[in-house]
Amino acid sequence: MQRWDIVLLTEGIYLAPPEVNAYVQNVLTEQLLVQNALEAKGLMVTRADWRDQEFDWTSTRAVLFREIWDYFHHFSEFSTWLDETTPKTHMINSTAQIRWNLDKHYLNDLSSNGVNICKTEFVETGDERTLSQIREEENLSDFVLKPAVSGAGRHTYRITGEVPKNIEQIYRELIGQEAMMIQPFQKNVLIKGEVAYMLFDGKYSHAVLKIAKEGEFRVQDDFGGSVHQYDPSDEEIQFAEHVAANTSPLPSYARVDVIRDNNDQLAVAELELIEPELWFRFKPEAADLMADAVLRELGK
């Protein structure tokens, strides 16, 4: 018998954090805003760690993916969990979308649909070329290297000039196990930052500006980046909604990370459909939009 309408999926550290610092408090605040919004709609809600082997996933109508920010460190385990759990409950967003969004090869699909993306070259698993050879072949002088499946800046490196020996060694170890991606460095990341647009059922809700700290190119707060309220133009909102419209089915929630590329055009850096931070604390009423999207999904 089902006990819950929604399980908010998270990682264990946020269920009983040993220390509540500012970062963890932000997470807990976000969780509470979403839970309160769902409960205000009359839904029974609980939280669970996706790695909890004792949890009965048939006890909930649906699972709403939230702070599972450890899945890329346990990718094989997560993939198996997704296979085993999907028949037991309803996933929001859907399992098919999650699998598509796990691997940044999805950028190629967006590009094929006419969405401007940061120029990206994928290097597939087992490629025997050195990173230095690829750099010469692609005529790259300033570029970013990162895995096709990753998050939170994992193994993300900016390389200017010759490839350092330690990066070459890391690359050789990684390419034997997973696909990698190479992107020319986009200078506007340092000049204008990166904007994250939050959308529910494909409609824009709010946005934040992410800025890297001085001397850093990664905008994530893991690396000292800061987040600021942001008021986008109509052009930007239309671009973000266009990105969401080019996913099928339309996701219940999405975060579109956008920069100005080296041609000063709006370009997708990432599309987050799995466990994006949505910065409800910057616009608490947006949690109601998430709850409405969940209700519509449950009614399908």
Side-chain angles (χ1 to χ4, degrees):
M1 182 176 179
Q2 291 184 339
R3 299 169 50 205
W4 310 104
D5 294 301
I6 297 291
V7 165
L8 299 178
L9 201 65
T10 188
E11 60 174 294
I13 193 172
Y14 299 119
L15 291 177
E19 177 187 359
V20 180
N21 55 26
Y23 180 90
V24 173
Q25 185 58 59
N26 283 339
V27 173
L28 299 179
T29 298
E30 300 274 321
Q31 287 181 342
L32 188 60
L33 286 168
V34 173
Q35 183 165 351
N36 287 347
L38 291 167
E39 290 177 343
K41 302 292 183 182
L43 300 176
M44 296 292 292
V45 183
T46 191
R47 297 179 299 150
D49 179 2
W50 71 272
R51 302 183 74 194
D52 184 350
Q53 298 182 4
E54 302 302 319
F55 192 86
D56 180 5
W57 299 102
T58 65
S59 68
T60 182
R61 291 172 64 190
V63 168
L64 182 61
F65 287 72
R66 296 309 303 127
E67 309 86 8
I68 56 165
W69 298 328
D70 57 346
Y71 80 86
F72 40 82
H73 296 302
H74 310 279
F75 186 71
S76 177
E77 180 184 349
F78 178 72
S79 185
T80 299
W81 177 88
L82 200 55
D83 284 340
E84 294 177 347
T85 308
T86 294
K88 299 176 182 179
T89 187
H90 186 77
M91 302 296 191
I92 307 175
N93 289 308
S94 72
T95 297
Q97 282 189 322
I98 289 168
R99 289 208 176 280
W100 176 75
N101 195 230
L102 279 170
D103 189 320
K104 291 182 177 62
H105 281 82
Y106 70 75
L107 290 169
N108 287 339
D109 295 333
L110 291 177
S111 180
S112 296
N113 287 338
V115 173
N116 189 41
I117 66 169
C118 298
K119 182 181 178 182
T120 304
E121 296 292 336
F122 287 95
V123 186
E124 303 305 333
T125 307
D127 193 304
E128 295 185 353
R129 294 174 296 171
T130 66
L131 189 55
S132 295
Q133 287 175 321
I134 295 172
R135 171 185 169 275
E136 292 178 7
E137 290 172 10
E138 300 293 334
N139 193 28
L140 296 167
S141 59
D142 188 356
F143 65 99
V144 173
L145 171 74
K146 57 186 175 182
V149 176
S150 189
R154 169 181 168 263
H155 283 305
T156 299
Y157 305 102
R158 180 184 178 186
I159 299 164
T160 58
E162 298 294 324
V163 178
K165 290 183 179 179
N166 66 315
I167 300 298
E168 187 75 75
Q169 181 59 40
I170 291 170
Y171 169 77
R172 291 311 310 161
E173 293 172 359
L174 292 172
I175 199 62
Q177 305 172 31
E178 56 187 311
M180 303 294 291
M181 53 193 291
I182 292 173
Q183 297 174 317
F185 183 72
Q186 307 296 318
K187 61 182 182 298
N188 278 321
V189 170
L190 300 182
I191 300 170
K192 300 179 179 180
E194 177 180 292
V195 179
Y197 304 84
M198 273 53 73
L199 297 93
F200 302 99
D201 283 339
K203 296 298 182 182
Y204 168 78
S205 167
H206 60 292
V208 298
L209 172 65
K210 297 182 286 182
I211 298 177
K213 75 173 184 179
E214 187 173 354
E216 178 59 72
F217 71 96
R218 293 164 291 193
V219 298
Q220 294 94 339
D221 50 14
D222 309 69
F223 301 98
S226 57
V227 181
H228 310 267
Q229 289 185 320
Y230 185 76
D231 185 18
S233 66
D234 289 343
E235 176 199 15
E236 292 172 275
I237 292 172
Q238 291 169 8
F239 180 81
E241 291 184 344
H242 174 63
V243 175
N246 276 279
T247 64
S248 181
L250 194 66
S252 294
Y253 59 90
R255 194 185 87 204
V256 186
D257 292 343
V258 178
I259 64 168
R260 290 279 179 177
D261 64 18
N262 288 338
N263 296 316
D264 209 33
Q265 299 298 306
L266 294 172
V268 174
E270 288 192 37
L271 170 63
E272 295 274 4
L273 304 181
I274 303 172
E275 34 54 79
E277 184 171 7
L278 297 172
W279 288 285
F280 291 112
R281 62 189 181 275
F282 280 70
K283 188 177 180 181
E285 59 269 31
D288 295 325
L289 300 179
M290 168 72 96
D292 288 337
V294 168
L295 278 176
R296 284 189 286 269
E297 184 65 25
L298 289 177
K300 291 179 180 179

